[in-house]
Amino acid sequence: QAQLVESGGGLVQPGGSLTLSCVASGFTSDYYAVGWFRQAPGKEREGVACASASDGSTYYADSVKGRFTISRDNTKNTVYLQMNNLKPEDTALYYCAAGWDFSLNRESYDYWGQGTQVTVSS
């Protein structure tokens, strides 16, 4: 059974850093594009970063460009999201996902984790 499990969320002060991890099991994630999404209370789920399966290309939402970095370790079936210079508006439940299309569109993804909470507050 395909499964994605996120970890690494928590409470951090503005300007701080966190690294989220997402471990895939039940399927070979290196064949899939992977993405990180987030959803704040009362808002729609939005894509923040994605990485292709083929050539290592990455893409970021404008709101996180220059602050977040997505990476993947296919030997560990794991995807990471390094988040620096965090802002209160980054507070959300963060999800990882795997799918066939290299995109920030959530409709492109077939497998989803349960999410990990990130709270940025002083």
Side-chain angles (χ1 to χ4, degrees), residues 39-97:
Q39 188 166 17
K43 294 188 177 181
E44 291 191 357
R45 191 173 299 188
E46 62 172 352
V48 295
C50 58
S52 72
S54 55
D55 61 2
S57 297
T58 58
Y59 186 75
Y60 299 91
D62 288 343
S63 58
V64 306
K65 201 172 294 182
R67 300 188 297 121
F68 290 11
T69 303
I70 186 172
S71 61
R72 59 194 304 171
D73 184 342
N74 290 336
T75 66
K76 298 181 179 179
N77 246 14
T78 301
V79 181
Y80 304 97
L81 185 67
Q82 173 68 42
M83 305 185 295
N84 297 326
N85 190 22
L86 283 161
K87 304 175 181 181
E89 51 264 41
D90 295 319
T91 295
L93 190 60
Y94 282 72
Y95 300 87
C96 69

